[in-house]
Amino acid sequence: MTALHQYQRLEAAGLWRDGKDAQRREVIIGLRDATIVLSDPKTDMPLTQWSLPAIVRISDVAGFVTFASAEDGLETLEIDDPAMIAAFETLRRVIDRRRRRPGRLRGALIAAAAAAVIAGGAIWLPLRLTSFTAARLPEAARTAIGVLALGDLQKTTGSACNAHMGQIAAQNLARRIDAINPPQILVMRTGLSRATALPGEMILLPAELVSAVDGPDALAGIVLAEMVRARSHDPLADILNHAGFVASLRLLSSGALPNDALAGYGIALAATDPAPLDPALLQAAFAQAKIAAQPYFDLTKDTPTITSPVPTRSDPIVLEDADFLGLQYICDS
């Protein structure tokens, strides 16, 4: 939404209801390029993410304007902040104009998808369409889908652990691994058996694993390995395969998945074996991050043939002792 620079990073409070029978919950609304992010005001953890093109205004009562995430109005957001309401109205006008005059990018995507339909066939096409869609979605849309996937997974795992010192330590670890594009590291209390990546640079770690590792180098290696795995095997492709062919077509045409497209994804993810890692890419990642590789290899008991030099020590250190201890006790809150 390059025409709306004045609203970038705008934030306000609101009341969110994630279903018709759900209790209203206070959230912080963050306006981004193509989405809004609703976060817990106490922990700053994202709760959900809405696609701007799908947002609908449904009522205006006593100074509160209510918006819905889609036409069905199941998930709603009440706002009384004039600046945020004005931003939403401006966005809705811009989006309406763009709907009447579809942009070249969306037209190209739909045309390419149609060409794939004609050339493909019923067996090959669904897989081809999901990989095609995953490769071409903008980062904001990828992040929105990652948040939706996290929401379904949390039906099994519960919310991410959020002890304050542990959250700070997780942020420090992420910046140490990649200072330019740090991942969002989330520690899940239960229901997760292995490290897992989701779109939007999210790395999910089981609490049991975090508390069991011997040191920060091994933990950094686990996160780094999942980042490498996600770059060679896009987790968004798996999500779209779960959502199905029709949902992927709708994503191409409307910019959003149906509300129920990811139902059951968390359970399916827990039962799926991880994609294999490319040893050469993993070694290169350790070298670039300047993180000692051996603690990770000792933990996984799967030392690959070394084809390129890997660091024997982390320089600078991955985490201070206090940070590492805080991360290990992130679920004690």
Side-chain angles (χ1 to χ4, degrees):
M1 297 276 173
T2 55
L4 303 172
H5 292 302
Q6 68 269 35
Y7 295 128
Q8 286 186 354
R9 316 307 295 183
L10 181 64
E11 293 189 343
L15 295 174
W16 169 59
R17 195 195 304 267
D18 64 358
K20 284 190 174 180
D21 298 325
Q23 294 290 325
R24 292 186 302 176
R25 177 175 181 176
E26 185 176 356
V27 294
I28 298 298
I29 309 158
L31 189 60
R32 304 297 182 258
D33 286 342
T35 63
I36 61 168
V37 178
L38 307 184
S39 304
D40 188 319
K42 296 180 180 178
T43 65
D44 291 330
M45 296 294 293
L47 300 170
T48 189
Q49 190 157 347
W50 291 8
S51 171
L52 282 171
I55 292 176
V56 179
R57 181 169 178 162
I58 59 176
S59 70
D60 187 346
V61 179
F64 278 88
V65 177
T66 302
F67 295 90
S69 61
E71 292 285 353
D72 56 26
L74 295 178
E75 190 175 350
T76 60
L77 178 65
E78 297 178 18
I79 308 172
D80 65 351
D81 183 277
M84 184 62 78
I85 292 172
F88 271 44
E89 289 304 312
T90 303
L91 289 170
R92 291 172 69 242
R93 287 194 295 270
V94 171
I95 290 167
D96 186 59
R97 287 197 299 268
R98 291 182 177 181
R99 281 173 174 165
R100 290 196 294 264
R101 299 172 58 191
R104 293 181 180 179
L105 176 60
R106 179 169 295 172
L109 288 176
I110 296 173
V117 170
I118 295 171
I123 298 176
W124 172 82
L125 178 59
L127 181 60
R128 180 67 184 90
L129 179 64
T130 54
S131 60
F132 172 88
T133 305
R136 287 159 178 82
L137 280 184
E139 192 59 36
R142 292 176 60 87
T143 300
I145 293 173
V147 171
L148 290 176
L150 177 62
D152 190 81
L153 182 65
Q154 286 176 332
K155 295 175 183 177
T156 302
T157 64
S159 298
C161 299
N162 60 7
H164 181 64
M165 294 304 296
Q167 286 185 305
I168 293 175
Q171 293 167 5
N172 290 340
L173 176 61
R175 285 191 291 267
R176 171 60 184 86
I177 293 171
D178 189 339
I180 298 175
N181 189 28
Q184 182 183 8
I185 299 173
L186 302 174
V187 180
M188 315 308 291
R189 195 181 304 273
T190 60
L192 198 66
S193 61
R194 58 179 174 84
T196 301
L198 290 178
E201 306 294 337
M202 285 186 280
I203 304 295
L204 279 52
L205 302 175
E208 185 177 2
L209 176 61
V210 173
S211 62
V213 294
D214 289 335
D217 287 0
L219 189 59
I222 293 169
V223 175
L224 195 59
E226 286 311 305
M227 293 172 66
V228 171
R229 197 189 315 273
R231 290 166 188 162
S232 57
H233 184 87
D234 191 348
L236 180 58
D238 290 338
I239 292 175
L240 295 181
N241 282 330
H242 175 86
F245 178 73
V246 174
S248 297
L249 279 177
R250 176 169 170 179
L251 177 62
L252 277 176
S253 62
S254 69
L257 286 171
N259 288 339
D260 60 349
L262 298 190
Y265 176 73
I267 295 174
L269 178 64
T272 303
D273 292 330
L277 277 168
D278 184 323
L281 293 178
L282 183 61
Q283 292 166 32
F286 274 108
Q288 182 176 2
K290 298 181 180 179
I291 292 174
Q294 198 58 49
Y296 169 78
F297 294 144
D298 290 343
L299 180 69
T300 59
K301 298 180 174 60
D302 185 26
T303 304
T305 301
I306 302 299
T307 58
S308 59
V310 294
T312 57
R313 65 187 183 91
S314 298
D315 182 23
I317 64 171
V318 170
L319 282 178
E320 299 288 350
D321 290 343
D323 268 347
F324 180 58
L325 190 62
L327 191 52
Q328 288 196 300
Y329 286 93
I330 191 173
C331 293
D332 291 357
S333 63

